[in-house]
Amino acid sequence: MPEIYVTSPRGLRWPFSKGLVVESLANAGIELKAADEIAHAIEQALRESGISEISSEELKTRMTAEVRSRLGEEAARRLAGQTQSFEEIIVRDEYGERPFSKGLLVRSLEEAGFSLKEAHELAKRVEQELRKAGRMAIKVDELEDFVARIVKDTYGKDARRRYQRRLEYGGGIFVVEPGGEPRVPFSKGILAQSLMAAGMSPDRAYRLAREIERELIRQGRMVIDRDELRQMVAEHLERTIGEDVAERYLVLRAVRRLEKPMHILIGGVSGVGKSTLAAALAYRLGITRMTSSDSVREILRATTTRDLVPTLHTSSFDAWRALVEVLGLEGDPGDEVVLQGFRDQVARVSVGIRAIQERNARERTSVVIEGVHVVPGFLSHPLQSEVLQIPMLLVVRDEQVHRGRFKIRERETKGRRSMGRYLANFAAMRMIQDHLEALAGTMGVPVIAGDNLDKAIEKALEVITGRFHGLFSDRGELEI
């Protein structure tokens, strides 16, 4: 069936829409059933006449005539006196003309502190009132007054004042440190990142950040103390989500004020999700430095020959093969040889890890270090008392889930990290994981289940907040 197009006086052209005709009729107070029948009759008449293009004025004339014949003069007069849904409303300002946009108006209303739903309802009403009044063009100042009146009629004088003063708030809410300086612009992105650190999903964190911004606008707050803002966020979290999340948020915010840098150390065998967890924690905690022990091993390999340190030039799970070759062993190497090969490689790589920790400690910089070589018993260094060190071990206890990770890795790397080699050494990896978990239990290192990575991130955040909880009083202030 050939398309029928509608043209505007400004030369625009779009497909005929029965829905827009129905909407126009409904705006004129015509019941939906009758509006649908009239729209169908007009569409049928256009197709029967073979018309492929019709002006918006001619379409309006046809609609008015059809309404007059079916519903009488009064309904036709109402329809003829309004601007139809398929007709543009032009907004004029000193820079020229532009079509009225509900989307732009929604954005302006959100800047005034209205929720997205409230903003959409207000913008819809503004457009309906303009069309009912038959407005084809309006000056921008007049539109401002028109919107302000509808806002006042719907939500009262205070809401109108917020809308009229919204430009004062566009990027104009400032956060100050205790004492009044320095002053920085309020950022929904930074607040959302803080909320994600407390365990919220990104979508929920950004939604809450927007709600906090709207609340500040509603209160007319252009400047707010950082501690007051944190307390405001915590109260909102406690009210909408729970006390645990609110407490975690306050503890993590207080941790940011500590003088000591935070060193998060994540151990675990291949395929348990260490790098994913490390990246998630670094992002949520605002830590910009992240290092993998595999990178350290690659650097050491470049400076040491295979003949000199054979166990360094293998994977962690088959370092025992180099050890067997050096010792001249034959037959089944046994569990202890497998673990000895692993420990030998860890001892070599841990030298580099300690150097990284010391460097960051001297520079007073927080860092996340992850890798199979991050092993309890090999993590100490001379400057450890200068940092807040948080070790944790990530494990996947379900063997099927663990195997599946290598399949996913192979697919994501397009075969560059083939699962065959990992699965061929799977028994050795599981043995090493059991060994690491036993070490963690002996040394009091938290063990985190990595079978579900979302839950692992949440548990890791609990470990971090739990580590620092004793540093704070009930008022959220440092005891040290």
Side-chain angles (χ1 to χ4, degrees):
M1 188 177 293
E3 193 78 76
I4 301 171
Y5 288 91
V6 182
T7 60
S8 76
R10 296 205 306 159
L12 299 177
R13 188 171 180 265
W14 63 91
F16 170 84
S17 168
K18 195 170 74 169
L20 290 178
V21 173
V22 170
E23 185 179 307
S24 297
L25 294 166
N27 287 342
I30 296 170
E31 292 184 358
L32 189 60
K33 182 180 178 181
D36 189 62
E37 290 174 354
I38 292 169
H40 179 73
I42 291 172
E43 181 183 37
Q44 189 174 20
L46 290 173
R47 296 197 181 282
E48 289 175 355
S49 65
I51 292 176
S52 61
E53 189 170 287
I54 185 172
S55 70
S56 57
E57 276 297 323
E58 174 59 24
L59 179 57
K60 182 176 180 178
T61 300
R62 283 177 176 257
M63 289 168 56
T64 303
E66 190 70 27
V67 168
R68 183 179 288 110
S69 67
R70 289 172 179 255
L71 303 174
E73 188 61 39
E74 176 60 26
R77 185 189 61 77
R78 290 199 307 271
L79 179 66
Q82 73 177 21
T83 303
Q84 310 309 323
S85 295
F86 50 80
E87 293 180 302
E88 288 181 311
I89 300 173
I90 300 301
V91 180
R92 296 190 174 113
D93 59 22
E94 58 185 304
Y95 303 106
E97 298 181 347
R98 56 179 171 81
F100 169 82
S101 168
K102 274 193 298 188
L104 290 176
L105 180 54
V106 166
R107 194 177 307 166
S108 294
L109 290 162
E110 282 194 288
E111 289 173 358
F114 293 99
S115 69
L116 183 60
K117 182 180 179 181
E118 291 170 340
H120 273 292
E121 290 297 324
L122 285 167
K124 181 179 178 182
R125 184 179 168 190
V126 167
E127 183 183 34
Q128 287 177 338
E129 293 294 327
L130 287 172
R131 293 191 180 282
K132 285 180 181 178
R135 301 300 299 265
M136 298 289 290
I138 187 170
K139 293 181 179 179
V140 68
D141 292 342
E142 190 179 357
L143 178 60
E144 283 282 304
D145 293 338
F146 194 90
V147 175
R149 177 179 62 77
I150 290 178
V151 168
K152 175 180 175 292
D153 292 345
T154 309
Y155 292 105
K157 293 181 180 179
D158 289 342
R160 179 185 64 184
R161 190 177 302 112
R162 284 205 320 272
Y163 173 74
Q164 291 173 327
R165 296 180 60 190
R166 72 190 183 283
L167 295 180
E168 298 177 16
Y169 301 120
I173 301 174
F174 289 90
V175 181
V176 297
E177 299 294 341
E181 293 295 340
R183 175 183 292 202
V184 296
F186 171 82
S187 167
K188 293 192 293 291
I190 292 175
L191 176 55
Q193 184 174 331
S194 300
L195 293 165
M196 284 189 281
M200 296 183 70
S201 68
D203 286 346
R204 198 169 188 182
Y206 276 99
R207 189 161 57 245
L208 190 144
R210 285 195 297 269
E211 290 174 6
I212 294 296
E213 182 185 48
R214 292 190 192 108
E215 182 59 31
L216 291 171
I217 293 172
R218 286 191 180 99
Q219 295 177 9
R221 301 291 297 273
M222 297 185 68
V223 178
I224 185 169
D225 180 84
R226 188 174 298 281
D227 287 341
E228 186 181 354
L229 175 61
R230 285 172 176 156
Q231 192 58 43
M232 178 181 179
V233 173
E235 289 173 359
H236 192 100
L237 286 170
E238 184 172 354
R239 186 169 61 251
T240 59
I241 300 177
E243 185 178 351
D244 291 345
V245 177
E247 184 178 14
R248 189 188 307 164
Y249 167 78
L250 285 175
V251 170
L252 287 171
R253 291 306 87 208
V255 165
R256 290 287 189 97
R257 303 199 297 273
L258 292 173
E259 293 184 2
K260 293 182 178 181
M262 180 163 40
H263 289 191
I264 298 175
L265 309 174
I266 305 171
V269 297
S270 299
V272 296
K274 300 182 298 300
S275 58
T276 301
L277 178 61
L281 293 180
Y283 178 72
R284 283 162 169 76
L285 297 171
I287 298 174
T288 57
R289 292 192 182 183
M290 189 169 67
T291 301
S292 165
S293 70
D294 284 342
S295 300
V296 177
R297 181 178 59 187
E298 289 302 316
I299 294 170
L300 293 174
R301 284 176 177 176
T303 60
T304 309
T305 66
R306 181 184 294 271
D307 291 338
L308 187 61
V309 189
T311 57
L312 191 61
H313 290 263
T314 64
S315 294
S316 59
F317 48 74
D318 63 358
W320 62 270
R321 297 183 191 277
L323 194 64
V324 165
E325 186 177 332
V326 170
L327 297 176
L329 299 177
E330 296 181 358
D332 185 353
D335 294 356
E336 183 53 38
V337 174
V338 172
L339 294 178
Q340 184 57 42
F342 169 73
R343 285 193 292 263
D344 188 83
Q345 186 178 109
V346 168
R348 314 287 181 177
V349 177
S350 63
V351 174
I353 295 176
R354 282 196 293 270
I356 291 172
Q357 289 178 272
E358 289 184 50
R359 171 75 178 266
N360 283 280
R362 283 194 299 271
E363 295 180 352
R364 309 192 70 77
T365 304
S366 294
V367 65
V368 178
I369 302 175
E370 61 86 10
V372 67
H373 311 96
V374 179
V375 174
F378 293 83
L379 305 177
S380 60
H381 59 90
L383 298 179
Q384 189 168 324
S385 61
E386 302 298 317
V387 303
L388 297 164
Q389 185 163 296
I390 309 175
M392 58 187 75
L393 176 69
L394 190 63
V395 301
V396 173
R397 296 192 175 96
D398 188 313
E399 290 193 20
Q400 290 304 112
V401 172
H402 196 179
R403 288 178 184 273
R405 294 280 175 83
F406 297 113
K407 295 179 182 179
I408 294 171
R409 178 185 288 179
E410 181 180 61
R411 185 169 63 249
E412 289 179 344
T413 61
K414 298 181 180 179
R416 289 190 301 274
R417 300 182 72 179
S418 173
M419 66 177 180
R421 182 164 168 271
Y422 292 99
L423 295 182
N425 292 278
F426 191 68
M429 274 190 281
R430 299 296 295 182
M431 183 192 307
I432 292 169
Q433 177 171 279
D434 291 342
H435 172 66
L436 292 176
E437 193 164 0
L439 278 177
T442 301
M443 305 195 68
V445 172
V447 177
I448 296 173
D451 302 67
N452 181 308
L453 288 174
D454 288 333
K455 291 182 179 179
I457 293 169
E458 185 174 347
K459 182 63 179 177
L461 290 170
E462 288 180 9
V463 168
I464 294 168
T465 53
R467 169 68 175 80
F468 294 112
H469 196 274
L471 298 175
F472 303 97
S473 68
D474 293 338
R475 293 177 298 168
E477 296 174 345
L478 289 178
E479 291 182 339
I480 59 176

Coordinates of all heavy atoms in Angstrom, one line a residue, residues 47-105:
R47 N -6.8 7.4 0.8 CA -6.3 6.3 0.0 C -7.2 6.0 -1.2 O -6.7 5.7 -2.3 CB -6.2 5.0 0.8 CG -5.2 5.1 2.0 CD -4.8 3.8 2.5 NE -3.8 4.0 3.6 CZ -2.6 4.2 3.5 NH1 -2.1 4.4 2.2 NH2 -1.8 4.3 4.5
E48 N -8.5 6.1 -1.0 CA -9.4 5.9 -2.2 C -9.3 7.0 -3.2 O -9.5 6.7 -4.4 CB -10.9 5.9 -1.7 CG -11.2 4.6 -0.9 CD -12.6 4.6 -0.3 OE1 -13.3 5.7 -0.4 OE2 -13.0 3.6 0.3
S49 N -8.9 8.2 -2.8 CA -8.7 9.3 -3.8 C -7.4 9.2 -4.5 O -7.1 10.0 -5.4 CB -8.9 10.6 -3.1 OG -7.8 10.8 -2.1
G50 N -6.5 8.4 -4.0 CA -5.2 8.2 -4.6 C -4.2 9.3 -4.3 O -3.2 9.4 -5.0
I51 N -4.5 10.1 -3.3 CA -3.6 11.2 -2.9 C -2.4 10.6 -2.2 O -2.4 9.7 -1.3 CB -4.3 12.1 -1.9 CG1 -5.4 12.9 -2.6 CG2 -3.4 13.1 -1.2 CD1 -6.3 13.8 -1.7
S52 N -1.2 11.1 -2.6 CA 0.1 10.6 -2.1 C 0.7 11.7 -1.1 O 1.6 11.4 -0.4 CB 1.1 10.2 -3.1 OG 1.3 11.4 -4.0
E53 N 0.2 12.9 -1.2 CA 0.7 14.0 -0.4 C -0.4 15.0 -0.1 O -1.2 15.3 -1.0 CB 1.9 14.7 -1.2 CG 2.6 15.7 -0.3 CD 3.9 16.1 -1.0 OE1 4.9 15.4 -1.1 OE2 3.9 17.3 -1.5
I54 N -0.4 15.5 1.2 CA -1.4 16.4 1.6 C -0.8 17.4 2.6 O 0.0 17.0 3.4 CB -2.6 15.7 2.2 CG1 -3.8 16.7 2.6 CG2 -2.2 14.9 3.5 CD1 -5.1 16.0 3.0
S55 N -1.2 18.7 2.5 CA -0.6 19.7 3.4 C -1.3 19.5 4.8 O -2.4 19.0 4.9 CB -0.8 21.1 2.9 OG -2.2 21.4 2.9
S56 N -0.6 20.0 5.8 CA -1.1 19.9 7.1 C -2.4 20.7 7.3 O -3.4 20.4 8.0 CB -0.1 20.4 8.2 OG 0.3 21.7 7.9
E57 N -2.5 21.9 6.5 CA -3.7 22.7 6.5 C -4.9 22.0 5.9 O -6.0 22.0 6.4 CB -3.4 24.0 5.8 CG -2.8 25.1 6.6 CD -3.6 25.5 7.8 OE1 -4.9 25.6 7.6 OE2 -3.1 25.8 8.9
E58 N -4.6 21.3 4.8 CA -5.7 20.6 4.1 C -6.2 19.4 5.0 O -7.4 19.1 5.0 CB -5.2 20.0 2.8 CG -6.2 19.1 2.0 CD -7.5 19.8 1.7 OE1 -7.6 21.0 1.6 OE2 -8.5 19.0 1.6
L59 N -5.2 18.7 5.6 CA -5.6 17.6 6.5 C -6.5 18.1 7.7 O -7.5 17.5 8.0 CB -4.4 16.9 7.1 CG -4.6 15.8 8.1 CD1 -5.5 14.7 7.4 CD2 -3.3 15.2 8.5
K60 N -6.1 19.3 8.2 CA -6.9 19.9 9.3 C -8.3 20.3 8.8 O -9.3 20.1 9.5 CB -6.2 21.2 9.8 CG -6.9 21.9 10.9 CD -6.1 23.0 11.4 CE -6.7 23.7 12.6 NZ -5.9 24.8 13.1
T61 N -8.4 20.8 7.6 CA -9.7 21.1 7.0 C -10.6 19.9 6.8 O -11.8 19.9 7.1 CB -9.5 21.8 5.6 OG1 -8.7 23.0 5.8 CG2 -10.9 22.1 4.9
R62 N -10.0 18.8 6.3 CA -10.8 17.5 6.2 C -11.2 17.0 7.5 O -12.4 16.5 7.7 CB -9.9 16.5 5.5 CG -9.7 16.6 4.0 CD -8.8 15.6 3.5 NE -8.7 15.7 2.0 CZ -9.3 14.8 1.2 NH1 -10.1 13.9 1.6 NH2 -9.1 15.0 -0.1
M63 N -10.4 17.1 8.6 CA -10.8 16.6 9.9 C -11.9 17.5 10.4 O -12.9 16.9 11.0 CB -9.6 16.8 10.9 CG -8.5 15.7 10.6 SD -6.9 16.1 11.5 CE -7.6 16.2 13.2
T64 N -11.8 18.8 10.3 CA -12.9 19.7 10.8 C -14.2 19.4 10.1 O -15.3 19.3 10.8 CB -12.5 21.1 10.5 OG1 -11.2 21.4 11.1 CG2 -13.5 22.1 11.1
A65 N -14.2 19.1 8.8 CA -15.4 18.8 8.0 C -16.0 17.5 8.5 O -17.3 17.4 8.7 CB -15.1 18.8 6.5
E66 N -15.2 16.5 8.7 CA -15.7 15.2 9.2 C -16.3 15.3 10.6 O -17.3 14.7 10.9 CB -14.5 14.2 9.2 CG -14.9 12.8 9.4 CD -15.7 12.2 8.2 OE1 -15.4 12.7 7.1 OE2 -16.4 11.2 8.4
V67 N -15.6 16.1 11.5 CA -16.2 16.3 12.8 C -17.5 17.0 12.8 O -18.5 16.7 13.5 CB -15.2 17.0 13.7 CG1 -15.8 17.5 15.0 CG2 -14.0 16.1 14.0
R68 N -17.6 18.0 11.9 CA -18.8 18.8 11.8 C -20.0 17.9 11.4 O -21.1 18.0 11.9 CB -18.6 20.0 10.8 CG -19.8 20.9 10.7 CD -19.6 22.0 9.7 NE -18.7 23.0 10.3 CZ -17.4 23.2 9.9 NH1 -17.0 22.5 8.8 NH2 -16.7 24.1 10.4
S69 N -19.7 17.0 10.4 CA -20.8 16.2 9.9 C -21.2 15.1 10.9 O -22.4 14.7 10.9 CB -20.4 15.5 8.6 OG -19.3 14.6 8.8
R70 N -20.3 14.7 11.7 CA -20.6 13.6 12.7 C -21.0 14.1 14.1 O -21.9 13.6 14.7 CB -19.4 12.7 12.9 CG -19.1 11.9 11.7 CD -17.7 11.1 11.8 NE -17.4 10.3 10.7 CZ -17.4 9.0 10.8 NH1 -17.9 8.3 11.8 NH2 -17.1 8.2 9.7
L71 N -20.4 15.2 14.5 CA -20.5 15.6 15.9 C -21.1 17.0 16.1 O -21.3 17.4 17.3 CB -19.2 15.5 16.7 CG -18.6 14.1 16.7 CD1 -17.2 14.1 17.3 CD2 -19.5 13.1 17.4
G72 N -21.2 17.8 15.0 CA -21.8 19.1 15.1 C -20.8 20.2 15.1 O -19.6 20.1 15.1
E73 N -21.4 21.5 15.1 CA -20.6 22.7 14.9 C -19.7 23.0 16.1 O -18.6 23.4 15.9 CB -21.5 23.9 14.7 CG -20.9 25.1 14.3 CD -20.1 25.0 13.0 OE1 -20.6 24.3 12.1 OE2 -19.0 25.6 12.9
E74 N -20.2 22.7 17.3 CA -19.4 23.0 18.5 C -18.1 22.2 18.5 O -17.0 22.8 18.8 CB -20.2 22.8 19.8 CG -19.4 23.0 21.1 CD -18.9 24.4 21.2 OE1 -19.5 25.4 20.6 OE2 -17.9 24.6 22.0
A75 N -18.2 20.9 18.3 CA -17.0 20.1 18.3 C -16.0 20.5 17.1 O -14.8 20.5 17.3 CB -17.3 18.6 18.1
A76 N -16.6 20.9 16.0 CA -15.8 21.3 14.8 C -15.1 22.6 15.2 O -13.9 22.8 14.8 CB -16.7 21.5 13.6
R77 N -15.8 23.5 15.9 CA -15.2 24.8 16.3 C -14.0 24.6 17.2 O -12.9 25.2 17.0 CB -16.2 25.7 16.9 CG -15.7 27.1 17.3 CD -16.7 27.8 18.1 NE -17.0 27.2 19.4 CZ -16.1 27.2 20.4 NH1 -15.0 27.9 20.3 NH2 -16.4 26.6 21.5
R78 N -14.1 23.7 18.1 CA -13.0 23.4 19.1 C -11.8 22.8 18.3 O -10.7 23.2 18.6 CB -13.5 22.4 20.2 CG -14.4 22.9 21.2 CD -14.5 22.0 22.4 NE -14.7 20.6 22.1 CZ -15.9 20.0 22.0 NH1 -17.0 20.8 22.2 NH2 -16.0 18.7 21.8
L79 N -12.1 21.9 17.4 CA -11.0 21.3 16.6 C -10.3 22.4 15.8 O -9.1 22.4 15.7 CB -11.5 20.2 15.8 CG -10.5 19.5 14.9 CD1 -9.5 18.7 15.8 CD2 -11.1 18.5 13.9
A80 N -11.1 23.2 15.1 CA -10.5 24.2 14.2 C -9.7 25.2 14.9 O -8.7 25.8 14.4 CB -11.6 24.8 13.3
G81 N -10.1 25.5 16.2 CA -9.4 26.5 16.9 C -8.1 26.1 17.6 O -7.4 26.9 18.2
Q82 N -7.8 24.8 17.5 CA -6.6 24.3 18.2 C -5.5 24.0 17.2 O -5.7 23.9 16.0 CB -6.8 23.1 19.0 CG -7.1 21.8 18.2 CD -7.3 20.6 19.0 OE1 -7.7 20.6 20.2 NE2 -7.1 19.4 18.4
T83 N -4.2 23.9 17.7 CA -3.1 23.4 16.9 C -3.1 21.9 16.9 O -3.0 21.3 18.0 CB -1.8 24.0 17.4 OG1 -1.9 25.5 17.4 CG2 -0.6 23.6 16.5
Q84 N -3.0 21.3 15.8 CA -3.1 19.8 15.7 C -1.8 19.2 16.1 O -0.7 19.8 16.1 CB -3.5 19.4 14.4 CG -4.8 20.1 13.8 CD -5.9 20.1 14.8 OE1 -6.2 19.1 15.5 NE2 -6.7 21.2 14.8
S85 N -1.8 17.9 16.5 CA -0.6 17.2 17.0 C 0.4 17.1 15.9 O 1.6 16.9 16.1 CB -1.0 15.8 17.5 OG -1.8 16.0 18.7
F86 N -0.1 17.1 14.6 CA 0.9 17.0 13.5 C 1.4 18.4 13.0 O 2.1 18.4 12.0 CB 0.2 16.2 12.3 CG -1.1 16.7 11.9 CD1 -1.3 17.8 11.1 CD2 -2.3 16.1 12.4 CE1 -2.5 18.3 10.8 CE2 -3.5 16.5 12.0 CZ -3.7 17.6 11.2
E87 N 1.0 19.4 13.7 CA 1.4 20.8 13.3 C 2.5 21.2 14.3 O 2.4 21.0 15.5 CB 0.3 21.8 13.3 CG -0.8 21.5 12.2 CD -1.9 22.5 12.3 OE1 -2.6 22.6 13.3 OE2 -2.2 23.2 11.3
E88 N 3.5 21.9 13.7 CA 4.6 22.4 14.6 C 4.1 23.6 15.4 O 3.3 24.5 14.9 CB 5.8 22.8 13.7 CG 6.5 21.7 13.1 CD 7.7 22.2 12.3 OE1 7.6 23.1 11.5 OE2 8.8 21.6 12.6
I89 N 4.7 23.8 16.6 CA 4.6 25.0 17.4 C 6.0 25.6 17.3 O 6.9 25.0 17.8 CB 4.1 24.8 18.8 CG1 2.7 24.1 18.8 CG2 4.1 26.1 19.6 CD1 2.3 23.7 20.2
I90 N 6.1 26.8 16.8 CA 7.4 27.4 16.6 C 7.7 28.3 17.9 O 6.9 29.1 18.3 CB 7.4 28.3 15.4 CG1 7.1 27.4 14.1 CG2 8.8 29.0 15.2 CD1 8.1 26.3 14.0
V91 N 8.9 28.1 18.4 CA 9.4 29.0 19.5 C 10.4 30.0 18.9 O 11.4 29.6 18.3 CB 10.1 28.1 20.6 CG1 10.6 29.0 21.7 CG2 9.1 27.0 21.1
R92 N 10.2 31.2 19.2 CA 11.0 32.3 18.7 C 11.8 32.9 19.8 O 11.3 33.2 20.9 CB 10.2 33.4 18.0 CG 9.4 32.8 16.8 CD 8.8 34.0 16.0 NE 8.2 33.5 14.7 CZ 6.9 33.5 14.5 NH1 6.1 34.1 15.4 NH2 6.4 33.1 13.3
D93 N 13.1 33.2 19.5 CA 14.0 33.9 20.4 C 14.9 34.8 19.6 O 14.7 34.9 18.4 CB 14.8 33.0 21.4 CG 15.7 32.1 20.6 OD1 16.0 32.3 19.4 OD2 16.1 31.0 21.2
E94 N 15.8 35.5 20.3 CA 16.7 36.4 19.6 C 17.6 35.8 18.5 O 18.2 36.4 17.7 CB 17.5 37.2 20.6 CG 18.4 36.3 21.5 CD 19.2 37.0 22.5 OE1 19.9 38.0 22.2 OE2 19.0 36.7 23.7
Y95 N 17.7 34.4 18.6 CA 18.6 33.7 17.7 C 17.9 33.1 16.5 O 18.5 32.6 15.6 CB 19.4 32.6 18.5 CG 20.1 33.1 19.6 CD1 19.7 32.9 20.9 CD2 21.3 33.9 19.5 CE1 20.4 33.4 22.0 CE2 22.0 34.3 20.5 CZ 21.6 34.1 21.8 OH 22.3 34.6 22.9
G96 N 16.6 33.2 16.5 CA 15.8 32.7 15.4 C 14.6 31.8 15.9 O 14.0 32.1 16.9
E97 N 14.3 30.8 15.1 CA 13.1 29.9 15.4 C 13.5 28.5 15.5 O 14.5 28.0 14.9 CB 12.1 30.1 14.2 CG 11.6 31.5 14.0 CD 10.6 31.5 12.9 OE1 10.5 30.5 12.1 OE2 9.8 32.5 12.8
R98 N 12.8 27.8 16.3 CA 13.0 26.3 16.5 C 11.7 25.7 16.9 O 10.8 26.3 17.5 CB 14.0 26.0 17.6 CG 13.7 26.6 18.9 CD 14.8 26.2 20.0 NE 14.6 27.0 21.2 CZ 13.7 26.6 22.2 NH1 13.0 25.6 22.0 NH2 13.7 27.3 23.3
P99 N 11.4 24.4 16.5 CA 10.2 23.8 16.9 C 10.1 23.5 18.4 O 11.2 23.3 19.1 CB 10.2 22.4 16.2 CG 11.3 22.6 15.1 CD 12.3 23.6 15.7
F100 N 8.9 23.7 19.0 CA 8.8 23.3 20.4 C 9.1 21.9 20.6 O 8.8 21.0 19.8 CB 7.3 23.6 20.8 CG 7.0 23.0 22.2 CD1 7.3 23.7 23.3 CD2 6.3 21.8 22.3 CE1 6.9 23.2 24.6 CE2 6.0 21.2 23.5 CZ 6.3 22.0 24.7
S101 N 9.9 21.6 21.7 CA 10.3 20.2 22.0 C 10.0 19.8 23.4 O 10.5 20.5 24.4 CB 11.9 20.1 21.8 OG 12.4 18.9 22.3
K102 N 9.2 18.8 23.5 CA 8.9 18.3 24.9 C 10.1 17.8 25.6 O 10.3 17.9 26.8 CB 7.8 17.2 24.8 CG 6.4 17.7 24.8 CD 5.4 16.6 25.1 CE 5.4 15.5 24.0 NZ 4.3 14.5 24.1
G103 N 11.0 17.2 24.8 CA 12.3 16.6 25.4 C 13.1 17.7 26.0 O 13.6 17.5 27.1
L104 N 13.3 18.8 25.4 CA 14.0 19.9 25.9 C 13.3 20.5 27.2 O 14.0 20.8 28.2 CB 14.2 21.1 24.9 CG 15.2 20.7 23.7 CD1 15.2 21.9 22.8 CD2 16.6 20.5 24.3
L105 N 12.0 20.6 27.1 CA 11.3 21.1 28.3 C 11.4 20.1 29.5 O 11.6 20.5 30.6 CB 9.8 21.3 27.9 CG 8.9 21.8 29.1 CD1 9.5 23.1 29.7 CD2 7.5 22.0 28.5

